[in-house]
Amino acid sequence: MNKLFSYKLLLAVALLCASCNSFLDVLPRGVANEDDLQNAIGAEKLAVAAYASLGNDHWFEPYTSMWPYGNVRAGDAHKGGLGAADIGEYHQYEIFSTTRTDMDSGNRMWTRLYIGVQRVNAAIKVLNSLDESSFKEKTHRLAEMRFLRAHYHFLLKILFKKIPFVTDELSADDVEKLSNDALTDAELWQKIADDFKFAVDNLPAQKSDVGRPYRTVAKAYLAKVRLFQAYVQNEQNQVVSINQEHLNEVIALTTEVIDSGEFGLFDDFSKNFLWSFDNGQESVFAVQRSKDDGSPIGRIDMSTALNYPMYPGYGCCSFHRPTQNLVNSFRTSPTGLPLFSDYNIVSLKDSADFVKNTIDPRLDHTVGIPSHPYKYQQNVIYRTATFTREPGTYGPYSAMKEVQQLSCPCLTTAQTYAYPSSSKNNTVIRFSDVILWKAEALIEAGRFNEALPLINQIRTRARNSTGLLKYANGKVISNYNMDVYKPGENITWNKATATTALRWERRLEFALEGYRFFDLVRWGIAAETVSEYFATEKTRVPHLASASFTKGRDEYLPVPEQQIQRSNRLYKQNNGW
């Protein structure tokens, strides 16, 4: 594994989801030599191994949740844990100023994701050697592998910017000679888009097995890539233009996904974060999880295993702690709209604050708050002393979306560890994502009036999601007051206000789900947003005293120095590092 692109393949074919009654129900049978896999059966095993990499992350490389990279760096969450030294590199990411180019966590993330690319390419090579008549699913499997390869490269791209794009056509020698800046930024995005486009053109039109992408899913992911691609960046990570052709493609693709009728919003926001609703109508693409499936620890979610509270029955480790800034962002005005400019003037702290002020209901779906029931469990009341570590450092709150209820059959602990985890899927794309991607593209294309009903659709669902937000006596937890946007009544609707509303909606809808920072970078506002956050949050928590964001550098992680050295310095470093 230290040699990133070794093409001698020894792998255990891993089980992804024992409960799915699908192609993933294949027990691992040990280790296979590459020569034994040059047939249809071998191709299927290699494809399953490529799928396995989707969920082979860990709390040291959490690429299914992305919480240290997308939430902690965005000002939505503190690292948490037992002080700054507890997984200290995540603390360095949080404050930016001490991030180094040789940090192990960045190198591990890079390596894990390229192992996924390697497995995909190994499968594609064998698939290409087969005849369609001897393996009728050849084209579909190739499309699935191209989809997965694009997914791994997409994550690498938003994390590291300058990456080598590695395909099955390259020999081991070719890979050793491949630079990470052989392609321009636009060309690299296009390579990722081309893989998703191949998937759109060649995947089956209908869902077959749970866990496999199909055509509509590929259209959704291609829309996401085109949206990122539309914001053209220069070498200094500044957004210098917006590509209208890509915006139009986002609009067309998301319209096709929405009009397909294959997905829909849950009636209650909570269902996105409860195991019993896995693979439901709002899940467009998800990493499949399982437990008690015959493998040593199951396909459980190790990426969030440190994020459970200290409360008995959970037990460890109080990482991923919401910031005061994030909590305050859920405050609403008397008319039920977000407080765009002055949300952070008043802090919601004491239990009375959540009654005196008006609140977006999504707050109590997202954040564990003192005196409130935790995760819809009316008999489990959140207390800072029993739920958190280091409240003087990281504040009183805990993340809640990834945590499951104590009674959930999905809850378990990782073997040899005391850390809790679950078999709850990691959702990569929700249907609400697709709706808001379309709204964003419409606004940037000047069609902001068409975006209004899409944003209001998300707000209407959120407004109605209070059924589980009650104490045992039936009283609602907080003072909820939320409304949709009504031009001429509670807002002046133009491109500027529509942009603000869209960006605010993405923050509240997807809070603590791992992608906030990448939104900020896409929009070209990461530096000012994070710097503004630091200016106030430094007065609230001591561990941010030396935090600072360097514009033109900190939008991306550095290319790991370990990889630059292994390339004999062929790889180039990102701007500013």
Side-chain angles (χ1 to χ4, degrees):
M1 288 178 63
N2 287 335
K3 188 66 173 174
L4 180 56
F5 295 121
S6 171
Y7 276 83
K8 286 187 176 181
L9 182 63
L10 293 174
L11 71 143
V13 177
L15 176 65
L16 270 173
C17 178
S19 62
C20 293
N21 191 26
S22 72
F23 77 106
L24 300 173
D25 295 332
V26 182
L27 287 175
R29 298 299 184 188
V31 177
N33 187 284
E34 188 174 7
D35 293 338
D36 298 330
L37 301 172
Q38 306 299 312
N39 50 55
I41 295 174
E44 288 282 43
K45 291 180 177 180
L46 288 166
V48 172
Y51 275 105
S53 275
L54 283 174
N56 274 356
D57 57 342
H58 190 270
W59 56 78
F60 288 128
E61 311 92 27
Y63 56 78
T64 51
S65 74
M66 300 281 276
W67 65 267
Y69 309 99
N71 299 336
V72 170
R73 291 197 298 157
D76 278 4
H78 299 305
K79 173 187 73 70
L82 192 60
D86 195 1
I87 309 190
E89 291 189 348
Y90 290 172
H91 171 75
Q92 292 177 270
Y93 288 145
E94 181 174 359
I95 67 173
F96 289 94
S97 57
T98 59
T99 302
R100 306 186 320 274
T101 61
D102 64 347
M103 288 165 60
D104 286 340
S105 57
N107 186 50
R108 285 195 300 264
M109 190 69 138
W110 177 287
T111 302
R112 285 264 189 171
L113 288 168
Y114 273 113
I115 287 171
V117 173
Q118 179 191 23
R119 288 187 176 194
V120 166
N121 286 336
I124 291 175
K125 285 184 176 181
V126 173
L127 286 164
N128 280 332
S129 72
L130 302 177
D131 189 276
E132 195 90 39
S133 61
S134 64
F135 186 43
K136 64 179 182 179
E137 294 296 328
K138 173 183 175 178
T139 299
H140 290 166
R141 293 294 179 270
L142 282 170
E144 290 171 29
M145 294 301 100
R146 294 279 292 270
F147 178 99
L148 295 184
R149 186 169 71 187
H151 168 70
Y152 296 130
H153 277 123
F154 175 82
L155 295 181
L156 284 157
K157 178 74 176 71
I158 62 176
L159 284 165
F160 297 103
K161 190 171 186 176
K162 288 182 182 291
I163 61 167
F165 189 85
V166 184
T167 67
D168 55 288
E169 293 97 346
L170 299 173
S171 68
D173 287 342
D174 291 335
V175 172
E176 294 294 336
K177 298 173 185 176
L178 184 63
S179 174
N180 68 331
D181 69 344
L183 302 172
T184 66
D185 199 59
E187 289 170 340
L188 182 52
W189 277 124
Q190 188 58 45
K191 287 287 188 182
I192 297 170
D194 287 345
D195 267 354
F196 279 125
K197 183 64 167 60
F198 183 90
V200 168
D201 293 340
N202 293 281
L203 282 172
Q206 302 298 322
K207 180 192 295 186
S208 55
D209 299 315
V210 172
R212 291 192 196 275
Y214 60 102
R215 187 173 302 161
T216 311
V217 176
K219 288 179 180 179
Y221 215 144
L222 178 58
K224 183 177 186 177
V225 171
R226 289 302 194 201
L227 187 60
F228 273 79
Q229 189 178 10
Y231 294 84
V232 180
Q233 291 184 1
N234 62 16
E235 183 69 15
Q236 290 73 42
N237 309 329
Q238 297 172 316
V239 175
V240 294
S241 64
I242 298 180
N243 186 301
Q244 294 297 313
E245 182 180 348
H246 293 326
L247 291 178
N248 290 335
E249 188 171 357
V250 173
I251 295 168
L253 288 165
T254 52
T255 299
E256 290 176 21
V257 175
I258 292 168
D259 291 350
S260 73
E262 296 167 25
F263 304 101
L265 295 178
F266 283 126
D267 59 347
D268 194 288
F269 187 63
S270 64
K271 293 181 179 179
N272 288 290
F273 315 109
L274 293 169
W275 168 82
S276 54
F277 296 97
D278 268 356
N279 298 317
Q281 65 191 55
E282 196 163 339
S283 177
V284 178
F285 182 63
V287 176
Q288 303 295 308
R289 297 293 186 181
S290 65
K291 64 186 278 280
D292 302 326
D293 55 20
S295 59
I297 63 170
R299 299 292 301 167
I300 59 176
D301 179 13
M302 298 288 281
S303 69
T304 62
L306 298 182
N307 299 355
Y308 282 72
M310 308 303 292
Y311 186 81
Y314 294 129
C316 200
C317 286
S318 194
F319 279 74
H320 195 206
R321 303 274 292 282
T323 65
Q324 189 65 57
N325 184 291
L326 176 67
V327 171
N328 294 346
S329 71
F330 287 90
R331 292 175 59 227
T332 60
S333 71
T335 60
L337 300 189
L339 296 167
F340 299 125
S341 59
D342 57 357
Y343 74 97
N344 205 28
I345 294 175
V346 173
S347 286
L348 303 172
K349 290 184 176 181
D350 298 328
S351 57
D353 293 336
F354 298 89
V355 178
K356 290 187 300 183
N357 295 272
T358 53
I359 309 296
D360 183 316
R362 286 173 291 193
L363 173 62
D364 281 308
H365 293 279
T366 304
V367 179
I369 296 170
S371 81
H372 293 195
Y374 185 74
K375 195 67 179 187
Y376 321 121
Q377 300 169 106
Q378 293 176 344
N379 63 331
V380 180
I381 301 300
Y382 188 96
R383 309 292 184 196
T384 301
T386 53
F387 276 76
T388 68
R389 300 160 89 184
E390 297 269 346
T393 302
Y394 297 116
Y397 311 112
S398 293
M400 203 158 56
K401 283 181 174 178
E402 66 262 48
V403 176
Q404 296 303 294
Q405 295 170 315
L406 287 164
S407 61
C408 184
C410 64
L411 205 62
T412 184
T413 56
Q415 190 182 46
T416 74
Y417 299 103
Y419 307 145
S421 185
S422 82
S423 56
K424 173 77 174 71
N425 286 353
N426 300 104
T427 302
V428 178
I429 297 175
R430 289 205 272 126
F431 186 60
S432 51
D433 251 325
V434 177
I435 292 170
L436 291 180
W437 291 336
K438 181 176 180 179
E440 181 178 337
L442 285 167
I443 293 167
E444 292 298 337
R447 297 161 60 182
F448 47 87
N449 286 326
E450 296 174 64
L452 177 63
L454 296 170
I455 298 173
N456 279 344
Q457 184 180 356
I458 301 299
R459 292 189 63 78
T460 299
R461 192 270 296 275
R463 181 179 61 187
N464 295 334
S465 296
T466 60
L468 295 180
L469 304 181
K470 296 179 181 179
Y471 291 103
N473 63 5
K475 182 181 178 181
V476 294
I477 298 173
S478 300
N479 182 15
Y480 304 121
N481 179 37
M482 185 178 180
D483 203 356
V484 298
Y485 295 104
K486 301 172 182 177
E489 182 177 333
N490 59 13
I491 194 171
T492 300
W493 194 256
N494 51 41
K495 185 173 182 180
T497 56
T499 298
T500 300
L502 178 281
R503 293 177 178 182
W504 207 264
E505 204 62 30
R506 281 201 61 83
R507 185 184 192 188
L508 302 185
E509 177 74 7
F510 301 105
L512 304 183
E513 293 182 44
Y515 284 92
R516 167 71 172 167
F517 184 77
F518 308 112
D519 283 345
L520 298 177
V521 173
R522 178 173 81 251
W523 298 327
I525 61 171
E528 48 264 52
T529 303
V530 176
S531 295
E532 181 181 351
Y533 156 75
F534 283 150
T536 303
E537 206 77 6
K538 281 182 178 183
T539 68
R540 296 169 172 159
V541 288
H543 73 283
L544 294 179
S546 61
S548 64
F549 188 102
T550 300
K551 187 174 183 178
R553 183 193 73 174
D554 288 330
E555 291 84 358
Y556 294 93
L557 297 179
V559 176
E561 178 62 26
Q562 298 91 324
Q563 298 301 325
I564 292 177
Q565 291 178 5
R566 288 182 185 131
S567 74
N568 292 319
R569 311 212 74 79
L570 178 64
Y571 289 176
K572 306 303 180 186
Q573 188 53 269
N574 283 323
N575 185 71
W577 290 100

